[in-house]
């Protein structure tokens, strides 16, 4: 059973372990700003954490690498970036998800916000053994990783008696009566056709749910059919074309399909080329165990991919010989690979921030690509799939 956050063991340094930064011993590696040196850009020194921490955290060292995690303070003390470098996956527990476990594979990274947790042992119970405490935006206190509820970063809270003089307050705390609303963003010159590559349970529909409907049309094959039933690829293509070419209110399009092969993605890439739109791809490359856990926990999924039967279906899909990750050489303007929920949130925020396309964006005519060119995309995808099947 997971310990409550108030009593969980927390660390700021490791007894008996030497932590050197650029050849200089660091008494408290999580202090911000770094003691005795100017911060480069907005990041602190890299601090290794691993097997030497296990005794302090009451963990079994057998499942922890000598260096399991590399951690560094970023964003002027607002975040802690951790990079998993151990043999086994590193668990992290984002507070926004109720400290549910997520796994970082080797070389995966995550940036922790205030109150987020992580661990060193893959099987650690929620909410993990280490909690990140960020620096306050108003300058009070400093960043640090807590131990026993006491922060061990540099600096101390300032005297509350100084709060009376408004002129001494940070700009973020002063009252501003003349703040003007942000201007409306300029429309995007061309719309985006956003293609996905990822199995059921990898987060495609979750990303789509964060896209504003005034700027985006979501073509979900699970629900695009009559009365919200499963539809076809052709119906997704038709919906995408209508949204892109609407003369009064064009919108970007997100194609909510698995798109695990080049052939499954080719028609949407060809549509973008035909119309002169930008085609980009998000590759949902999460650990399989996390995908299986999501599918296993589903209830009343619109596509019926849930429970143990859904897990078996996903395993079959992931074993397809024609499966191929997207690549910019396929014709995409951008490919974003997401290996954890944090990266998915970043991708969702980036696309959600796009303004609607400019009305009349097609007035200048489609790009130099012709129907002959779009047919070439389909032929290339089919040839690539055939070669993979032969291999």
């Amino acid at each position: 059973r997971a310990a409550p956050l108030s009593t969980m063991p927390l660390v700021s340094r490791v007894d008996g372990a030497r932590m050197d930064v650029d050849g200089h011993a660091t008494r408290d590696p999580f202090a911000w700003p770094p003691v005795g040196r100017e911060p480069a850009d907005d990041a602190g020194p890299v601090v290794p954490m691993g097997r030497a921490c296990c005794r302090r955290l009451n963990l079994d060292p057998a499942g922890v690498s000598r260096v399991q995690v590399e951690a560094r303070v970023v964003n002027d003390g607002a975040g802690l970036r951790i990079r998993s470098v151990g043999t086994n996956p590193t668990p992290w527990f984002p507070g926004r998800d109720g400290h549910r476990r997520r796994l970082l594979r080797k070389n995966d990274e995550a940036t922790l916000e205030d109150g987020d947790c992580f661990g060193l042992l893959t099987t650690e119970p929620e909410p993990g053994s280490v909690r990140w405490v960020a620096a306050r935006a108003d300058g009070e206190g400093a960043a640090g990783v807590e131990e026993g509820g006491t922060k061990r970063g540099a600096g101390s809270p300032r005297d509350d008696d100084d709060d009376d003089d408004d002129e001494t307050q940070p700009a973020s705390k002063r009252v501003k009566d003349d703040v003007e609303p942000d201007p409306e963003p300029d429309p995007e010159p061309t719309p985006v056709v956003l293609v996905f590559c990822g199995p059921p349970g990898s987060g495609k529909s979750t990303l789509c749910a964060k896209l504003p409907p005034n700027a985006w049309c979501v073509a979900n094959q699970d629900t695009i059919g009559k009365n919200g039933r499963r539809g076809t690829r052709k119906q997704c293509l038709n919906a995408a074309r209508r949204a892109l070419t609407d003369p009064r209110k064009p919108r970007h399009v997100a194609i909510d399909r698995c798109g695990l092969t080049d052939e499954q993605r080719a028609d949407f890439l060809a549509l973008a080329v035909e119309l002169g739109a930008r085609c980009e791809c998000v590759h949902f490359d999460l650990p399989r165990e996390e995908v299986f856990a999501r599918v296993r926990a589903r209830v009343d999924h619109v596509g019926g991919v849930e429970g143990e039967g859904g897990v078996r279906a996903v395993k079959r899909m992931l074993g397809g010989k024609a499966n191929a990750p997207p690549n910019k050489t396929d014709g995409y303007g951008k490919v974003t690979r997401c290996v954890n929920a944090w990266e998915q949130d970043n991708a969702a925020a980036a696309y959600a921030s796009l303004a609607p396309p400019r009305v009349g964006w097609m007035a200048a005519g489609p790009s130099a690509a012709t129907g002959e060119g779009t047919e070439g995309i389909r032929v290339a995808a089919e040839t690539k799939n055939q070669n993979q099947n032969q291999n």
Side-chain angles (χ1 to χ4, degrees):
R1 182 177 179 180
L5 286 174
S6 59
T7 61
M8 58 188 286
L10 305 167
V11 300
S12 63
R13 58 186 178 184
V14 183
D15 291 343
R18 182 181 178 187
M19 292 187 180
D20 288 349
V21 179
D22 297 338
H24 298 87
T26 304
R27 181 179 60 81
D28 189 344
F30 289 106
W32 186 264
V35 177
R37 68 180 251 170
E38 293 296 324
D41 297 326
D42 66 346
V46 175
V47 177
M49 299 181 67
R51 193 173 298 150
C53 305
C54 291
R55 183 175 180 181
R56 181 72 166 266
L57 299 176
N58 196 27
L59 300 175
D60 180 6
V64 179
S65 298
R66 184 179 63 84
V67 178
Q68 181 70 32
V69 171
E70 293 178 345
R72 68 185 309 185
V73 178
V74 296
N75 300 334
D76 288 330
L80 181 74
R81 183 171 298 150
I82 60 173
R83 178 171 175 260
S84 179
V85 295
T87 302
N88 295 325
T90 298
W92 70 294
F93 309 87
R96 63 177 178 271
D97 289 341
H99 294 102
R100 289 192 300 113
R101 178 199 313 277
R102 299 187 183 280
L103 295 178
L104 300 176
R105 297 178 296 180
K106 190 170 185 177
N107 294 322
D108 288 351
E109 293 186 353
T111 299
L112 277 63
E113 301 173 349
D114 185 47
D116 288 352
C117 306
F118 71 98
L120 302 178
L121 185 64
T122 305
T123 56
E124 281 189 41
E126 300 171 357
S129 56
V130 183
R131 180 200 286 168
W132 166 242
V133 179
R136 296 273 293 276
D138 58 6
E140 292 189 14
V145 179
E146 287 190 340
E147 176 182 348
T150 302
K151 185 163 53 183
R152 311 198 78 176
S156 58
R158 59 194 180 97
D159 192 344
D160 291 339
D161 292 340
D162 294 336
D163 292 347
D164 296 334
D165 187 358
D166 186 67
E167 292 301 319
T168 65
Q169 298 302 306
S172 61
K173 295 188 70 176
R174 297 177 194 157
V175 177
K176 295 182 179 181
D177 298 326
D178 56 349
V179 176
E180 297 180 358
D182 293 335
E184 289 292 328
D186 294 332
E188 295 291 325
T190 55
V192 171
V193 177
L194 186 59
V195 181
F196 293 156
C197 174
S202 59
K204 302 183 298 297
S205 297
T206 300
L207 187 151
C208 288
K210 299 178 181 179
L211 302 176
N214 68 307
W216 285 86
C217 166
V218 176
N220 185 333
Q221 187 163 321
D222 285 337
T223 59
I224 203 169
K226 187 176 181 180
N227 297 325
R229 296 181 180 179
R230 182 172 178 80
T232 64
R233 185 187 313 186
K234 184 176 180 180
Q235 287 176 308
C236 290
L237 279 166
N238 291 339
R241 183 183 292 273
R242 288 194 300 270
L244 294 167
T245 60
D246 189 319
R248 294 180 298 176
K249 189 180 178 182
R251 291 183 290 170
H252 309 290
V253 177
I255 309 300
D256 193 354
R257 302 176 72 249
C258 291
L260 295 177
T261 70
D262 290 307
E263 188 272 334
Q264 291 173 359
R265 302 186 295 264
D267 286 333
F268 302 98
L269 178 57
L271 176 64
V273 172
E274 174 192 341
L275 299 178
R278 294 149 47 196
C279 190
E280 301 182 1
C281 187
V282 176
H283 181 198
F284 295 83
D285 193 19
L286 274 69
R288 292 190 174 200
E289 293 76 11
E290 181 166 349
V291 173
F292 297 156
R294 291 181 181 184
V295 172
R296 191 175 287 113
R298 282 174 166 179
V299 177
D300 295 330
H301 180 252
V302 291
V305 184
E306 60 184 50
E308 293 299 334
V311 171
R312 290 192 293 271
V314 172
K315 288 181 178 179
R316 288 194 297 269
M317 295 175 67
L318 291 174
K321 292 183 178 180
N323 290 355
N327 195 296
K328 285 192 68 174
T329 58
D330 298 334
Y332 302 106
K334 179 181 180 181
V335 176
T336 302
R337 177 172 174 255
C338 299
V339 299
N340 54 51
W342 174 75
E343 292 181 346
Q344 290 178 345
D345 289 344
N346 281 353
Y351 286 109
S353 67
L354 292 181
R358 178 173 56 85
V359 174
W361 69 274
M362 293 185 63
S367 66
T370 62
E372 186 175 303
T374 60
E375 181 62 26
I377 291 174
R378 297 189 186 93
V379 172
E382 292 172 359
T383 301
K384 187 174 178 181
N385 287 334
Q386 289 173 359
N387 292 338
Q388 289 172 338
N389 287 333
Q390 290 174 358
N391 293 335

